[in-house]
Amino acid sequence: MEIKEKLRKLQEYLSRLDNALIAFSGGVDSTFLAKVSYDVLGNRVLAVTATSPMHPKSELKEAVELAKKIGLPHLVVEFNDILEIEEFKKNPLNRCYVCKSNLFSRFKAIAEEKGFKYILEGTNADDVSDFRPGRRALKELGILSPLLECGIKKEEIRILSKEMGLPTWSKPSYACLASRIPYGEEITYDKLSMVEKAEEDLRDLGFSGFRVRYHGDIARIELPKEQMKRIFEEGIREEVVKRIKDAGFKYVALDLEGYRTGSLNEPHVKVVKNV
């Protein structure tokens, strides 16, 4: 199916909905979904962004600015008590399920309160190839995933986003800060803050599309392979080390395999398929 046909299919899908509350992170997928939904449904949509210790302040700021740019009715809700949920704090293999089950239950309560019949989220057709326990929570709660149902892939979302003038078309993929902490390692505010500061500092130094994985005293940096040489340039290496140590780490390591999605799933690959 051609990309334009997929877009028409998405528009037709959305036109059949009375109204919709959209889980809006300000990322590539949710921004595209929110824009198309707004174009089709107008003010019968409400974009909702959750703020929590797992989401950098910079991401919230971008989401607010994007909503204004698109003209979206927008609501920011607090999800700060996620770290009080013991099942989540323990960081089990189904951590994402626990998180999404709690988060989207709150979105459902907001939708019911404000009279929205449907809740949409931005899973795309490529996401099903990775370990995504949160998908089960979405199915249990009856959350709709229009991009997935219409077969729209990540690269197609980027192409269409660029044509629509959305600044997110080239934005690197993002996952919450909890995904930087290995399964079984307790999630705490301090650990999330260390990762957030380290990643913000790397962005300030001009790096993009990377991850800083938490391993106790060690920060393991995953960079896109084309950016690895730059980290060894004169003055850059020293500044990277200084900033990441200032974030609270004692040691700084560069992962020679480079950035890849879900690298912390790798030690559990045989297990996670059954979770």
Side-chain angles (χ1 to χ4, degrees):
M1 188 183 298
E2 293 186 1
I3 187 171
K4 293 296 185 182
E5 188 177 345
K6 289 186 179 182
L7 176 58
R8 285 193 294 272
K9 184 178 179 181
L10 175 63
Q11 291 167 333
E12 290 170 3
Y13 178 108
L14 294 168
S15 70
R16 294 193 292 270
L17 307 181
D18 299 327
N19 53 39
L21 183 151
I22 304 168
F24 181 66
S25 67
V28 179
D29 302 329
S30 69
T31 300
F32 171 72
L33 176 60
K35 166 64 174 170
V36 180
S37 298
Y38 182 67
D39 288 346
V40 173
L41 297 172
N43 287 330
R44 288 182 288 149
V45 303
L46 174 64
V48 180
T49 303
T51 175
S52 81
M54 300 181 300
H55 299 95
K57 299 175 187 67
S58 58
E59 289 291 310
L60 174 61
K61 181 181 177 183
E62 283 187 28
V64 171
E65 291 172 351
L66 281 166
K68 288 181 181 177
K69 178 180 175 65
I70 296 170
L72 284 169
H74 186 217
L75 176 67
V76 176
V77 298
E78 289 189 355
F79 191 38
N80 295 328
D81 60 345
I82 180 64
L83 293 183
E84 296 174 15
I85 300 172
E86 284 299 318
E87 191 178 1
F88 176 82
K89 279 181 64 177
K90 291 177 182 177
N91 200 8
L93 288 175
N94 68 339
R95 174 195 66 224
C96 190
Y97 169 82
V98 176
C99 178
K100 287 197 181 299
S101 183
N102 280 273
L103 176 60
F104 278 86
S105 291
R106 298 184 192 198
F107 283 175
K108 282 197 76 170
I110 293 170
E112 290 171 6
E113 176 189 339
K114 297 186 176 295
F116 286 89
K117 187 175 180 180
Y118 299 98
I119 301 175
L120 315 181
E121 64 85 43
T123 298
N124 66 63
D126 289 324
D127 289 336
V128 294
S129 62
D130 192 18
F131 173 56
R132 304 258 176 173
R135 287 288 307 149
R136 180 162 64 92
L138 299 178
K139 290 179 181 178
E140 290 174 356
L141 292 168
I143 310 302
L144 302 181
S145 305
L147 306 181
L148 175 61
E149 294 183 44
C150 294
I152 304 177
K153 298 181 178 180
K154 191 76 167 191
E155 189 56 33
E156 294 170 330
I157 292 168
R158 292 189 183 280
I159 292 169
L160 291 168
S161 294
K162 186 176 183 180
E163 291 178 359
M164 293 175 181
L166 294 174
T168 49
W169 75 270
S170 60
K171 184 176 181 177
S173 296
Y174 180 78
C176 81
L177 295 173
S179 68
R180 317 299 198 262
I181 301 175
Y183 295 117
E185 171 84 30
E186 184 180 17
I187 299 172
T188 67
Y189 180 82
D190 287 344
K191 293 171 185 176
L192 295 172
S193 296
M194 287 169 65
V195 172
E196 178 179 2
K197 185 178 187 310
E199 292 196 348
E200 289 292 341
D201 284 339
L202 284 179
R203 279 189 203 93
D204 287 345
L205 291 172
F207 294 98
S208 63
F210 59 83
R211 296 286 186 270
V212 174
R213 309 290 188 186
Y214 177 96
H215 296 279
D217 290 338
I218 303 170
R220 175 169 60 88
I221 303 173
E222 295 179 6
L223 286 175
K225 292 178 182 178
E226 64 273 14
Q227 295 182 38
M228 283 190 183
K229 286 185 179 179
R230 182 170 178 268
I231 204 168
F232 295 108
E233 290 179 6
E234 185 176 351
I236 297 294
R237 180 182 64 82
E238 292 84 356
E239 188 65 17
V240 167
V241 171
K242 177 183 181 301
R243 293 199 183 196
I244 290 184
K245 285 189 174 183
D246 285 347
F249 294 98
K250 291 184 180 179
Y251 307 101
V252 184
L254 177 66
D255 190 320
L256 298 183
E257 287 189 77
Y259 168 66
R260 63 268 190 208
T261 301
S263 72
L264 290 179
N265 290 338
E266 292 168 357
H268 308 278
V269 66
K270 292 182 180 179
V271 177
V272 296
K273 289 180 180 178
N274 298 317
V275 173

